[in-house]
């Protein structure tokens, strides 16, 4: 191989690959589109994920009634709570059936029927039971399900302080097996 052929072969292998105008415009438009789409999508993702990532505070207790007004016969008491759901704040009115058991311990049951979520009432059929008018579900004074409903009534966490009954978050019924 001559020096002339060797020189040509060396220069031929060092070819630069150039970008065409069409490729340049495609890359530029693609990058700009991705940047603009990210600017629109990222706030939406943050909006959806932020409430999930915020730390949940412990349930607060709400003053409901004086301890002296509680008897062994269940009574319905209404109270308001302050709740924050994402960015929506509200003060819904709730109710609870509060009474004392045989040992004098105060307990509170949720008025929401475990069958389909209707509101229960106490002793409307004169048989000392909670009764749901929607599908005739029945519960004992402790909230044990007797007919129709698959589970017992939920109960509220209860605290007695300074002569007042305070209710906390709803929990599963611990009074019945």
């Amino acid at each position: 191989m001559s020096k002339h052929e060797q020189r040509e072969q060396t220069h031929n292998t060092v070819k630069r690959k150039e970008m065409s105008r069409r490729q340049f415009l495609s890359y530029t438009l693609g990058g700009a589109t991705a940047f603009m789409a990210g600017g629109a999508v990222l706030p939406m993702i943050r909006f959806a994920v932020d409430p999930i990532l915020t730390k949940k505070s412990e349930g607060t207790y709400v003053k409901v009634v004086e301890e002296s007004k509680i008897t062994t016969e269940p009574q319905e008491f209404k109270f308001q709570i302050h709740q924050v759901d994402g960015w929506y704040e509200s003060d819904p009115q709730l109710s609870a059936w509060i009474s004392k058991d045989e040992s004098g311990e105060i307990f509170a049951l949720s008025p929401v029927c475990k069958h389909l979520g209707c509101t229960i009432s106490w002793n409307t059929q004169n048989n000392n039971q909670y009764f749901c008018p929607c599908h005739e579900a029945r519960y004992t004074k402790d909230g044990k399900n007797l007919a129709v409903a698959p589970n017992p009534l939920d109960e509220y966490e209860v605290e007695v302080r300074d002569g007042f009954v305070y209710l906390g978050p709803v929990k599963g019924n611990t009074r019945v097996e």
Side-chain angles (χ1 to χ4, degrees), residues 152-166:
L153 292 172
D154 290 332
E155 66 178 310
Y156 287 96
E157 291 183 13
V158 176
E159 270 188 19
V160 179
R161 291 182 289 190
D162 304 323
F164 287 94
V165 176
Y166 291 81

Side-chain angles (χ1 to χ4, degrees), residues 58-72:
E58 287 294 319
T60 57
Y61 284 80
V62 178
K63 183 193 279 187
V64 178
V65 64
E66 290 180 40
E67 183 182 9
S68 60
K69 293 183 179 177
I70 305 300
T71 63
T72 56

